Amino acid sequence: MNSISGNGARPWWWGVALLYALSGFTSLAYEVLWSRMLSMQFGVSIFGVVLTVTAFMLGLGSGSIAGVKWKAGNPLAAFAGIEVAVALYALALPGLMRHASLWLEDASGRLGLMHWYLLQALEAVSLLLLPAFAMGVGFTLVLKAIDETPLTLGKLYGLNTIGGALGALFPLWGLPVLGWTGSVRVAAILGLLVGGAALHFSRYTGSGASKATLPRPPMSALLLYAGIGAGSLMLEVGWVRLYGMIMLRTEYVLGVILAVFLTGIALGSLFAPRRIAAILPIVSGGGALLGLWLLPVASSWVEGSQFGSFFGAIGAQAAIAALFTLPVTLVLGAWLPLLAERHKDASAVWLYGANSLGGGLGALLACLVVIPNHGTAALVAIAALAISGFGLAGLNARWGWAGFAFLLICAWPLRSMPPVHELLPIAEGGSRDLYLYEDAVSLTHVIGRKDGQRILLTDLQRMDASSDPAAVEIQMDQARLALLLHPDPKLVLFLGLGTGISMGGSLPFPNLDRSAVELSQGAIHAARNWFSEVNGGAVDQARVYRDDARHYLDATDRKYDVIIGDLFHPDLAGMGSLLSVQQFGRARRHLSPDGIFVQWLALNQFDIGSLSVVLRSFRQVFPDAQMFMDGMHLALVGPNKPLLIADAMKRNLQRMKDDGPATGNEGMWTWLGRYWGPVPQSAGKVQDEWVPYIEYSLPKARYDGSVNLANLLSWLMMRHPDVDAAADILGVQRQDREAFGRAYMAATLTNEAWISAIRGDESKSVQMIWMAYQANPHDRWIANALADSMMQSLIQAREHGLSEREALQRVLKISPDHAGALRALWHLEKAAGNKEEAERYRLRLLAVAPLDSEAKSAL
């Protein structure tokens, strides 16, 4: 065997070790990036994580064992070929996935949801298993190449894992800066360089570096280490799920957790003292349980922290994750070198392979069995016990089982998810958990606040999914506007059910066939059983399909007069695909000839750049697209063919004896006044399912100040046509233009008032709201804003000679359903002994807020 260690030069094997560290970088960069790709395909983050981890671990395990019998003449040259091949495959994989996805779309019409997911999973695992298998073979080849060198397994494994930790962090920078495709290309180019450098170093190794076989340790040792691997990957999946809910709430958390996980393993393999082997199982299990117990501490810290930048947020949250998880991963890293030393270093390949295969099976077990049946908190507890139990069994340390019994006692109270008021003490302190449902798709909570109002949380997220009266109205408006725009809607489809309150807004429309698609089984149950009092029992009057919205639209052949896209957090992994050109195209293909698709957006979730991308994507599919503003929500209206909106709305309302409920008692002109203009035409990026944008740009924008609601509203104001142009576009007849103009001007003034309020100019905001009310007193948002202002100035009313009763009655004259004024008058009349008047106000309050605890308790 040749050497280049003469004259003070570094031995060649140190160059190989550094190359293998770079190989670890590219491998983990691929893993995080491919996981992101699968999350886009599935629309569910945890599926992408589990499938990628499963494919990688099964491939690495089987590949490393298969490499034992490969009699490569020059192992390092073979390793170089593998690195180059994997890099080229990484460049080709997006195209392969895109073609496979097109085939899956064609097949989806013949498959139910579970079969569709299964077919997607088989396709994904098949495509990822091949490169992972090659990487596993590469591990064995490198071990063979350095077999007769002083380089130890612990150092090689540690350096590779440090590289992997950095590779897991690379997408956190690459995705927002380079995008997904650019990040893959950078990782692949680095892989090509690693292959070229490995080929260079292969000149210094001879065929003698390759052993025909490597001795296999006892099967019992392999099975025990496979069990530790299963527990480790179950723990990783659990951490990704838990910290993904409380931290960045995006796919970036996978990179953070993997980096922390691998850093601990690297440090443990490099520096852990061998004499502490006997306590490793108890330390690892105890550390995992301690982290689970401290989860509310981490969550409350994240909730209360302010971060100056995106990367500052990543760094700080990575530090808190490391604080709770690093002790465990240090122990896990020490295990392989210790076992390899016990069974001779040559057996390390077998141990590594068994551990990886066990890890792949553990990830599947976590997603398919443990989480759906016991929950994520229980998954972490079970994983901690599995790691400790298998570790103790391998050490034959009888005294350690006493420690295991202690861990078992500690794990029992930690098997359930902490209550929401502990996880989110600022936002939801004082609340109580009413309902919890967890599966591999999502974690669904219904919580009750002290005032009796209920909130639906999905993965600890809220999107106006509340029984609060103001939230109920804005949710119902999602159905009201969409249905009002069609002259005679018969079939309506809701893409997303949530609380069912949006669907409740459709109840006044006659002869309506309602359908809804909702992926979360917990949300379906909550809508039926926990929000029926505020959604009017709409869910029981509809067909509800538990399905992915994309799969449902690919599979069904039904056409709808109106399709309504619900609100969601666009920066969550997989959610951006619901705002893609492809998804908008699916919706249009299922519209009747005069059908309408309405996609709702929460403006406080966007910056100008991301909103522009969505607008371009929508206009690409619907060239005649229009915009409406309702509160802080923007409705993108896509008609299947050009539509005279004013005429369609008038014809719709003429079908009804009483059009008040259909318009929310605001009238036709209020709704037409919320028109905001055509979706603007512009050049630039669009949201594509395979070249996404907003998932990467929004998390960064949230921290760098780009998500600025006042600036976004001002930007939209610049695209707001004048009243005459708006009337022409909507087809408002000349005799109706005065009524339309007043409503249109009122909506414009309201928007300017909100901009002033956000920027701190309260006096200007109040003045504009008063002017808007004079223009259109029927607009609920204007009346509520004015009523709120009057409630805050009750003391000033007394100074002007008004009694409290008179001032409150004036508030109700402005906004008859103002809950605060109704409550105050109820208390006032009750204190004065006017029982009948008090009861009348209480009943009015109960009609506005059916779940109000105070009003209900007085029954």
Side-chain angles (χ1 to χ4, degrees), residues 241-568:
R241 181 70 175 270
L242 292 177
Y243 287 103
M245 289 189 292
I246 68 171
M247 288 175 35
L248 286 173
R249 307 179 189 276
T250 72
E251 192 68 13
Y252 291 112
V253 77
L254 172 62
V256 171
I257 293 297
L258 275 177
V260 172
F261 200 90
L262 293 172
T263 299
I265 287 177
L267 296 176
S269 64
L270 287 170
F271 304 116
R274 303 299 184 254
R275 62 181 179 272
I276 66 168
I279 65 170
L280 291 183
I282 301 301
V283 172
S284 60
L289 293 177
L290 180 62
L292 185 58
W293 181 63
L294 291 173
L295 181 68
V297 176
S299 181
S300 60
W301 176 82
V302 171
E303 185 190 21
S305 299
Q306 298 292 325
F307 304 103
S309 68
F310 173 66
F311 294 110
I314 287 178
Q317 295 185 28
I320 196 73
L323 180 65
F324 294 136
T325 62
L326 199 58
V328 182
T329 56
L330 284 169
V331 173
L332 295 176
W335 235 310
L336 179 61
L338 288 174
L339 289 174
E341 188 177 280
R342 174 178 297 183
H343 297 288
K344 307 300 182 183
D345 274 356
S347 68
V349 169
W350 292 92
L351 292 166
Y352 176 83
N355 184 261
S356 298
L357 290 171
L361 295 175
L364 279 180
L365 187 67
C367 184
L368 300 179
V369 178
V370 182
I371 289 179
N373 290 289
H374 305 288
T376 307
L379 170 65
V380 172
I382 291 170
L385 295 174
I387 293 170
S388 296
F390 284 114
L392 287 171
L395 292 173
N396 294 319
R398 294 183 179 180
W399 63 267
W401 291 105
F404 182 81
F406 176 73
L407 293 182
L408 194 61
I409 294 171
C410 293
W412 183 253
L414 298 174
R415 71 192 186 281
S416 301
M417 183 67 65
V420 172
H421 71 263
E422 293 183 4
L423 295 171
L424 301 174
I426 297 175
E428 305 300 344
S431 67
R432 60 191 182 95
D433 292 5
L434 302 176
Y435 170 70
L436 171 64
Y437 180 89
E438 184 172 6
D439 57 19
V441 173
S442 62
L443 187 148
T444 303
H445 281 97
V446 177
I447 61 171
R449 288 182 167 173
K450 291 181 179 180
D451 61 2
Q453 302 305 327
R454 295 171 185 168
I455 296 173
L456 177 68
L457 300 174
T458 300
D459 293 336
L460 296 182
Q461 304 292 304
R462 174 191 172 189
M463 178 58 75
D464 293 307
S466 166
S467 65
D468 180 79
V472 167
E473 290 299 326
I474 200 165
Q475 289 172 82
M476 287 190 172
D477 281 354
Q478 293 177 36
R480 288 171 180 151
L481 174 64
L483 292 168
L484 284 169
L485 294 175
H486 193 283
D488 187 18
K490 299 296 184 186
L491 295 169
V492 60
L493 173 66
F494 293 84
L495 300 179
L497 178 66
T499 59
I501 297 173
S502 298
M503 184 182 287
S506 72
L507 292 178
F509 291 82
N511 306 316
L512 194 60
D513 185 307
R514 301 170 185 84
S515 299
V517 180
E518 174 59 60
L519 186 57
S520 169
Q521 184 62 50
I524 295 172
H525 178 88
R528 281 202 173 103
N529 298 281
W530 292 98
F531 290 94
S532 60
E533 292 175 86
V534 285
N535 66 34
V539 181
D540 295 328
Q541 303 177 46
R543 298 183 186 90
V544 179
Y545 303 96
R546 190 195 179 193
D547 206 341
D548 180 282
R550 297 166 304 155
H551 172 255
Y552 178 81
L553 291 174
D554 283 333
T556 187
D557 57 1
R558 297 192 78 187
K559 302 283 187 179
Y560 296 91
D561 298 318
V562 176
I563 299 178
I564 302 171
D566 201 0
L567 295 164
F568 50 84

Side-chain angles (χ1 to χ4, degrees), residues 502-736:
S502 298
M503 184 182 287
S506 72
L507 292 178
F509 291 82
N511 306 316
L512 194 60
D513 185 307
R514 301 170 185 84
S515 299
V517 180
E518 174 59 60
L519 186 57
S520 169
Q521 184 62 50
I524 295 172
H525 178 88
R528 281 202 173 103
N529 298 281
W530 292 98
F531 290 94
S532 60
E533 292 175 86
V534 285
N535 66 34
V539 181
D540 295 328
Q541 303 177 46
R543 298 183 186 90
V544 179
Y545 303 96
R546 190 195 179 193
D547 206 341
D548 180 282
R550 297 166 304 155
H551 172 255
Y552 178 81
L553 291 174
D554 283 333
T556 187
D557 57 1
R558 297 192 78 187
K559 302 283 187 179
Y560 296 91
D561 298 318
V562 176
I563 299 178
I564 302 171
D566 201 0
L567 295 164
F568 50 84
H569 285 264
D571 62 334
L572 293 179
M575 292 294 101
S577 63
L578 297 177
L579 297 177
S580 66
V581 171
Q582 291 88 342
Q583 178 65 1
F584 295 151
R586 293 185 188 103
R588 181 163 190 177
R589 290 192 295 272
H590 288 85
L591 290 175
S592 61
D594 58 350
I596 295 173
F597 173 58
V598 177
Q599 177 62 61
W600 286 93
L601 306 174
L603 291 176
N604 63 339
Q605 295 288 328
F606 290 89
D607 66 331
I608 293 173
S610 298
L611 181 61
S612 298
V613 168
V614 176
L615 295 180
R616 280 193 293 269
S617 305
F618 197 82
R619 185 183 172 90
Q620 181 171 312
V621 178
F622 296 98
D624 299 307
Q626 308 294 327
M627 299 184 293
F628 280 77
M629 283 271 284
D630 184 47
M632 297 295 178
H633 293 170
L634 182 68
L636 306 184
V637 178
N640 209 13
K641 65 181 183 181
L643 178 68
L644 289 175
I645 292 176
D647 178 67
M649 191 176 294
K650 184 176 291 186
R651 287 162 53 196
N652 189 333
L653 294 174
Q654 286 173 348
R655 303 177 306 141
M656 307 175 196
K657 294 180 180 179
D658 179 9
D659 63 9
T663 65
N665 295 312
E666 294 184 282
M668 168 181 167
W669 299 116
T670 295
W671 281 104
L672 288 177
R674 290 171 178 157
Y675 175 68
W676 215 257
V679 171
Q681 186 173 9
S682 63
K685 296 179 180 178
V686 297
Q687 177 71 2
D688 187 283
E689 285 183 349
W690 294 101
V691 189
Y693 177 83
I694 58 177
E695 294 100 325
Y696 309 140
S697 64
L698 276 178
K700 185 173 182 291
R702 276 172 41 197
Y703 292 103
D704 67 11
S706 298
V707 178
N708 184 305
L709 186 56
N711 290 346
L712 185 59
L713 292 173
S714 298
W715 182 82
L716 286 169
M717 281 290 293
M718 296 168 60
R719 283 138 187 87
H720 192 40
D722 63 55
V723 63
D724 291 328
D728 290 339
I729 295 170
L730 295 174
V732 178
Q733 296 179 5
R734 189 158 303 278
Q735 67 269 21
D736 296 324

Side-chain angles (χ1 to χ4, degrees), residues 775-792:
N776 181 19
H778 304 292
D779 189 307
R780 179 178 57 253
W781 303 118
I782 298 172
N784 284 348
L786 185 57
D788 287 342
S789 177
M790 293 170 68
M791 287 291 292
Q792 294 171 8

Side-chain angles (χ1 to χ4, degrees), residues 670 673-674 676 720 739-754 768-769 771-779 782:
T670 295
R674 290 171 178 157
W676 215 257
H720 192 40
F740 168 74
R742 293 177 68 85
Y744 193 77
M745 182 56 64
T748 304
L749 288 169
T750 303
N751 191 71
E752 291 179 350
W754 286 333
M768 287 187 169
I769 286 293
M771 293 168 61
Y773 179 77
Q774 290 178 314
N776 181 19
H778 304 292
D779 189 307
I782 298 172

